[in-house]
Amino acid sequence: VRARRSAMTDLARRGLPITSRIPMSHRVIRDQKTGKAVQMVVDESKRRLWDDLAELILEGIGWDRIETELYKRFGHADEQGKPYRAAHMYRLIMKPLFWGHMARFHCSKDAANGYRRGRWIYDASEPIPEGAIIFRDTHEAVWTGKLADRIRQEIDRRSEHMWGKAKPWRTKILSGLMICGECGLTLAMHVDGEYKGVYCPAGKRKQANLPECSWRSVVS
């Protein structure tokens, strides 16, 4: 087991696949004689898909509608001729491999921290999850240059300000502007006809991933 883990980490360091299932963003170039993988490159046969996907993200289309819009507007479909399954593109984008990096021990039920996504995947200045290993710029990224910068900024904007029912293309006027004075969580909006108020999700909801908070009222 230790030898296999070491071998997989060495493959990741060299930018080579560590599983037989390669994300659709890339393809493997193999040695014609031995059949061994020698390089991973972007699947340029899908370049129109990557360009159209970038357009929808920058337009502000929500992650839950991306696959539908790719199908309706541009005709992008899976191998069965149907729209890609919901959230498929988000999960693809939130893989280090998509951005030209390889990582270990961050996306498995057996990993120290289970499944972990976050800004660290595409931003080298962000700390990585404890126990994970990442090797930067081991192969080609799908998006590069100014386009990649714009998309990273849009992903950051969504993760920082899109809460609850807020939409990427239509943010409520109070979204992301206030935090709870007790637990520090970003306040959510409550709209009932003409009434608009804010409340703390931790105080109103019983969820394991939210901090404890005793504030349960809504403020106009």
Side-chain angles (χ1 to χ4, degrees):
V1 171
R2 285 195 299 269
R4 182 180 182 279
R5 287 181 177 178
S6 177
M8 294 299 101
T9 299
D10 184 59
L11 287 174
R13 183 183 292 106
R14 294 157 53 198
L16 299 177
I18 56 178
T19 69
S20 59
R21 298 182 64 183
I22 309 301
M24 62 180 287
S25 59
H26 288 73
R27 64 185 184 88
V28 179
I29 296 178
R30 299 183 179 277
D31 185 286
Q32 294 184 352
K33 294 183 178 180
T34 65
K36 290 185 177 180
V38 295
Q39 187 181 10
M40 254 197 316
V41 297
V42 175
D43 189 346
E44 292 296 341
S45 69
K46 298 184 177 72
R47 177 50 62 183
R48 191 168 68 86
L49 170 60
W50 310 136
D51 291 343
D52 293 339
L53 175 58
E55 179 180 333
L56 293 180
I57 293 173
L58 295 176
E59 184 180 322
I61 301 301
W63 296 121
D64 59 340
R65 292 175 53 207
I66 289 282
E67 290 76 18
T68 301
E69 293 298 315
L70 282 172
Y71 184 76
K72 286 183 177 180
R73 292 199 205 179
F74 309 112
H76 296 296
D78 62 16
E79 294 179 352
Q80 285 73 45
K82 298 179 180 180
Y84 290 101
R85 63 184 183 277
H88 177 78
M89 294 301 164
Y90 175 75
R91 287 193 291 267
L92 179 64
I93 291 172
M94 296 307 288
K95 293 179 183 293
L97 187 147
F98 189 89
W99 296 94
H101 317 307
M102 295 293 287
R104 294 271 288 144
F105 312 121
H106 73 97
C107 191
S108 166
K109 62 182 177 60
D110 299 320
N113 287 294
Y115 292 87
R116 287 292 181 270
R117 298 188 178 103
R119 189 175 181 180
W120 64 273
I121 288 173
Y122 51 83
D123 186 346
S125 67
E126 289 290 309
I128 66 174
E130 183 180 355
I133 301 174
I134 187 166
F135 304 103
R136 302 279 183 187
D137 304 317
T138 58
H139 57 277
E140 298 176 337
V142 172
W143 296 313
T144 59
K146 292 183 179 179
L147 177 60
D149 291 339
R150 291 177 62 200
I151 293 175
R152 283 190 285 261
Q153 290 168 4
E154 173 61 14
I155 295 174
D156 288 343
R157 185 184 75 85
R158 295 186 185 205
S159 63
E160 292 173 7
H161 299 297
M162 299 298 104
W163 295 84
K165 297 180 180 179
K167 303 298 182 184
W169 66 92
R170 181 178 56 81
T171 305
K172 290 186 172 64
I173 193 170
L174 301 178
S175 293
L177 295 182
M178 289 171 279
I179 63 172
C180 176
E182 180 176 333
C183 70
L185 201 65
T186 301
L187 300 187
M189 279 201 70
H190 172 76
V191 180
D192 185 4
E194 294 298 319
Y195 179 85
K196 296 178 177 62
V198 293
Y199 67 93
C200 178
K204 301 284 282 186
R205 306 170 190 166
K206 299 299 181 182
Q207 294 179 214
N209 63 328
L210 296 179
E212 293 186 4
C213 185
S214 63
W215 184 44
R216 294 178 172 81
S217 58
V218 178
V219 175
S220 175

